[in-house]
Structure formats: structure tokens, C-alpha cells
Amino acid sequence: MLRVGNLAVDIGGSPVLRGVSFEVGAGELVCLVGRNGAGKTTSFRTVMGFRKPAAGTIQFDGRDIVGLRPNQIAQLGIGFAPEESEVFGELTVAENIALPTWTCPAGAEGRSAQARIADAYRVFPALERYRERGGYALSGGERKMVSIARALALDARLLLLDEPTEGLSPVIVPAITQALADIRALGHGVLIAESNIHHVPDLTDRLYVIERGEIIFAGKPAAARRDPAVARIIEGTTVAERL
């Protein structure tokens, strides 16, 4: 599905990503873990076409997507829910979720708008009772759910979720974790970025640890925890400026 190879990104003349490689297959939940400022968000934004790489490859279903615009990448079937979880305050929850069906009527897989919206509510049933609530009236957790549901309504086969549980109430986190399991069960690939390994879902298939713009570990989460050098980085003890 997604394969990133030897990705290099410079910002303001300074190297931010150095030879970053990772991949996500259909039905896989993969996590990119690193301290704030390590390069997680830059990796996501580069995959989505918001940043141009200095070197490296990004392939989706075997197709080179470097140089495509973000809307073109979305139309291929990659959905992105940024950490900020921005929703349109003047639109209702129902309208926010339906928005991708207006801008991309056929969907990435050609499924009907009704089917795509139904999947979004199936994954986040709690949003059913907030359909008519305005985006401005939502809590942080509710905005996060709407943001991910909207990406699902695009009919994306791969979802990039930046810090899906960051700053959320502990009451909301189980709903997000269950949603990740449900999305994966639907056959979608999921790539999430997290700053702390304690936020990584137990069902994660593969873990990549990024530090100072380089991948320093790739493997199972349990193996990462057993490595003292890696564990020190992913325990979330140091906070740097976010990239």
C-alpha cells in the first residue's frame, strides 16, 4: 500500500528528515513514535504533498506520488487527520462528515456517499446523537472523532492520524482506540503518529521509532520496550519544539 524509502526533507535549509523509510500494508496498524520535534508530522505532511522531499521515494499502491498535490493524493485514497483536528465550526457534525462526499462524489473506491458516511458512523456511533450540533460546540475529543470520521468518509484506503489521542480526556481514549481497531477490521491501512509509547494501541502490527529525523528502530512494540536506548526515547520524557 504505502512505501516510503530514504526520505529526506529540508526546511529552511536545515535537514529535518534523513533517510526515513517505513511502510504500511492493507489492514495494518502501524505507529510512528518519536518525541515532539523528531519529524513525525513532517513525515505525514510530506506523504500528503504539503512538503516536497529533497530526496527519496513515496509510493502508494506502487505508484510514485511525489509531486502530486494534496487533493490528488487524497483522491487516490489517502486520508489525513492532523493533530489539530480542525472542523468547520459553522457546519454541523453531519455536514462536516459528509464534506468529502461533496468534494469527491465518487470516492477513492467508487462507493456511494451513503455507504461512506455509514462507515463513519459505524466506527463512531457516539456521533449519531451529535449530528445537528455545530462544530464550534464540540469538545476536543468530539472534534477528534469528527476529524477521523471525515477522513473515513473520503473512502480512504489508508488513514494518516497524527496524535489521535493527544490531550484527550481518559474517558474518550478507549473510544478512539476501539475506532482504530474497527477501521483496521474494515481492511483500511492505518498509520498513526504518537509521542509516547504508552499511547500506542496494543493491536499495533509494527512500530517505527524516529529520533532527530532518522528511523532508529523498526519492529514489534514489545521489542522496542526491551531496548533500553529506544525505550528512553519513546517514554515521552523529553519535549522539543514540534516540527
Side-chain angles (χ1 to χ4, degrees):
M1 186 171 277
L2 177 69
R3 179 169 294 178
V4 175
N6 296 313
L7 195 65
V9 175
D10 297 340
I11 299 178
S14 299
V16 175
L17 299 182
R18 307 174 182 87
V20 167
S21 298
F22 56 84
E23 58 184 70
V24 185
E28 282 192 326
L29 175 61
V30 178
C31 190
L32 182 64
V33 178
R35 294 182 283 202
N36 290 340
K40 304 184 303 295
T41 297
T42 299
S43 297
F44 277 29
R45 292 181 65 82
T46 304
V47 169
M48 288 305 302
F50 292 108
R51 291 200 178 277
K52 183 178 180 180
T57 60
I58 306 173
Q59 294 184 329
F60 183 60
D61 283 347
R63 174 178 175 175
D64 181 9
I65 62 173
V66 172
L68 296 183
R69 296 188 301 274
N71 66 301
Q72 293 174 313
I73 292 171
Q75 288 170 355
L76 290 176
I78 303 181
F80 179 38
E83 181 183 0
E84 296 79 10
S85 303
E86 294 179 354
V87 299
F88 293 96
E90 66 275 18
L91 300 182
T92 65
V93 166
E95 289 168 337
N96 267 284
I97 292 174
L99 184 59
T101 69
W102 307 341
T103 58
C104 189
E109 293 292 287
R111 298 169 66 230
S112 71
Q114 292 84 353
R116 292 147 58 189
I117 292 171
D119 277 350
Y121 285 110
R122 188 175 299 116
V123 170
F124 292 106
L127 294 179
E128 287 275 8
R129 61 179 179 269
Y130 303 137
R131 279 178 177 262
E132 301 308 314
R133 181 175 293 183
Y136 62 84
L138 299 176
S139 69
E142 290 161 354
R143 288 197 303 272
K144 183 70 72 174
M145 288 191 283
V146 171
S147 179
I148 299 173
R150 187 172 57 199
L152 269 175
L154 177 69
D155 208 15
R157 289 177 290 125
L158 171 66
L159 294 179
L160 308 186
L161 309 180
D162 196 358
E163 305 272 11
T165 60
E166 181 65 24
L168 298 186
S169 163
V171 176
I172 298 293
V173 172
I176 299 295
T177 302
Q178 182 59 52
L180 294 176
D182 293 342
I183 292 169
R184 179 173 174 253
L186 289 172
H188 300 286
V190 182
L191 175 64
I192 65 176
E194 285 290 358
S195 299
N196 193 315
I197 195 169
H198 298 300
H199 296 164
V200 173
D202 292 337
L203 64 160
T204 298
D205 293 295
R206 190 164 52 262
L207 184 77
Y208 294 92
V209 178
I210 186 169
E211 171 71 356
R212 299 182 184 274
E214 299 181 75
I215 299 295
I216 63 168
F217 174 87
K220 295 291 185 180
R225 293 186 179 95
R226 290 194 299 266
D227 187 320
V230 174
R232 175 178 57 81
I233 291 170
I234 59 181
E235 288 295 329
T237 55
T238 301
V239 177
E241 184 67 26
R242 186 173 180 81
L243 293 174

